[in-house]
Amino acid sequence: MKKQIVTMALAAFAGSLLAADTTGKDEVINAAKKLGEKPNYSWKTTVVVPESAQFKPGPTDGKTEKDGFTHVKMSFGGNTTELVKKGDKAVFTNRDGDWQTPADAEGEQGPGRFMAGMARNFKAPAAQAVEIAEATKGLKKDGDMYSGDLTEEGAKNLMRFRRGGTDGPTISDAKGSAKFWLKEGVLLKLEFKVTGSMNFNGNDIEVDRTTTVEIKDIGSTKVDVPEGAKKKLS
């Protein structure tokens, strides 16, 4: 009898933990979707990597409007690249500052091909947060912050270096975690950390990357799209 009582108590406890994790995940997903329903918002993304890392992304500044344009400025190695997206269409600037579509860069190598893949797969923070939250094992609440570990596949997807629509290099030992900050039921900040190893062209590259996205100017953001981007998208 005692054994049955202990077993039932443990099952109830495990069930309550599972329910708490599921509730936390649902709350974060709903908060991200509420952000996506806002008329507009801006964000700033920063990436922290070890000093020994070969690839050190600079900050990214973005602006987006519901059912309209998304305009992003990204910094890579001292160079700035712009990306504009509307619906499924995207354009970005090349090394010379000219606007091109992912199809334009299809046959290129290096930065052009990388940007083509990024443009195709780019998602604004609201949509990205939904995907990341869905890729957690569960989210626990601590005040206005929710945190949890990523699934192995979720960590791989955030590490993956997409090139021209391919899946990229082989990834091993992928691990990660995610944090989300909410205010009045709306997502205001997210952070995700991934670690692991990628084999790229026969070389093993260790990954240790923390990405932070801070949302701001909800409802007061104005998206100014360069004319060259508009013409290329039309």
Side-chain angles (χ1 to χ4, degrees):
M1 178 64 72
K2 289 183 178 180
K3 185 176 181 181
Q4 289 179 329
I5 292 174
V6 171
T7 301
M8 291 172 64
L10 288 174
F13 179 66
S16 65
L17 288 178
L18 179 61
D21 286 352
T22 302
T23 300
K25 183 181 292 190
D26 289 343
E27 289 178 355
V28 169
I29 290 173
N30 289 335
K33 289 181 177 179
K34 284 183 180 179
L35 175 63
E37 288 299 313
K38 297 295 183 181
N40 50 66
Y41 63 88
S42 302
W43 75 89
K44 185 179 185 68
T45 300
T46 54
V47 180
V48 177
V49 295
E51 282 297 322
S52 59
Q54 295 180 339
F55 181 63
K56 295 183 175 67
T60 294
D61 291 290
K63 299 180 179 182
T64 189
E65 54 191 9
K66 183 183 177 183
D67 300 325
F69 289 100
T70 296
H71 184 203
V72 183
K73 292 183 179 180
M74 297 168 283
S75 179
F76 297 98
N79 298 314
T80 299
T81 300
E82 293 185 64
L83 167 69
V84 174
K85 197 161 188 177
K86 186 174 184 181
D88 294 331
K89 294 183 178 181
V91 293
F92 57 92
T93 54
N94 59 20
R95 291 181 177 180
D96 299 320
D98 298 323
W99 291 97
Q100 60 181 165
T101 67
D104 293 335
E106 197 68 48
E108 296 183 12
Q109 298 295 325
R113 194 172 181 183
F114 169 73
M115 280 303 303
M118 177 177 286
R120 287 192 183 95
N121 293 287
F122 178 84
K123 292 185 178 180
Q128 183 186 35
V130 170
E131 287 192 351
I132 296 174
E134 289 176 340
T136 63
K137 299 174 184 177
L139 288 165
K140 297 180 180 180
K141 183 178 181 180
D142 183 5
D144 293 329
M145 189 267 286
Y146 296 73
S147 62
D149 292 329
L150 294 166
T151 63
E152 182 180 5
E153 191 60 32
K156 284 183 178 181
N157 286 336
L158 290 172
M159 285 176 60
R160 191 159 284 129
F161 179 54
R162 296 181 175 90
R163 301 196 318 159
T166 64
D167 288 337
T170 301
I171 297 175
S172 58
D173 299 323
K175 297 178 182 179
S177 59
K179 296 179 180 180
F180 305 84
W181 287 261
L182 278 55
K183 184 176 182 181
E184 298 178 353
V186 179
L187 179 71
L188 280 188
K189 179 180 176 181
L190 68 132
E191 177 184 291
F192 55 92
K193 178 180 177 65
V194 290
T195 62
S197 180
M198 296 193 303
N199 186 280
F200 186 70
N201 290 338
N203 298 313
D204 287 326
I205 301 173
E206 296 302 314
V207 175
D208 183 351
R209 184 172 70 238
T210 301
T211 303
T212 303
V213 184
E214 297 181 89
I215 313 299
K216 56 185 180 179
D217 301 332
I218 299 175
S220 61
T221 292
K222 183 178 180 181
V223 183
D224 294 316
V225 179
E227 287 299 321
K230 288 182 179 179
K231 290 180 180 178
K232 195 70 177 178
L233 283 169
S234 62

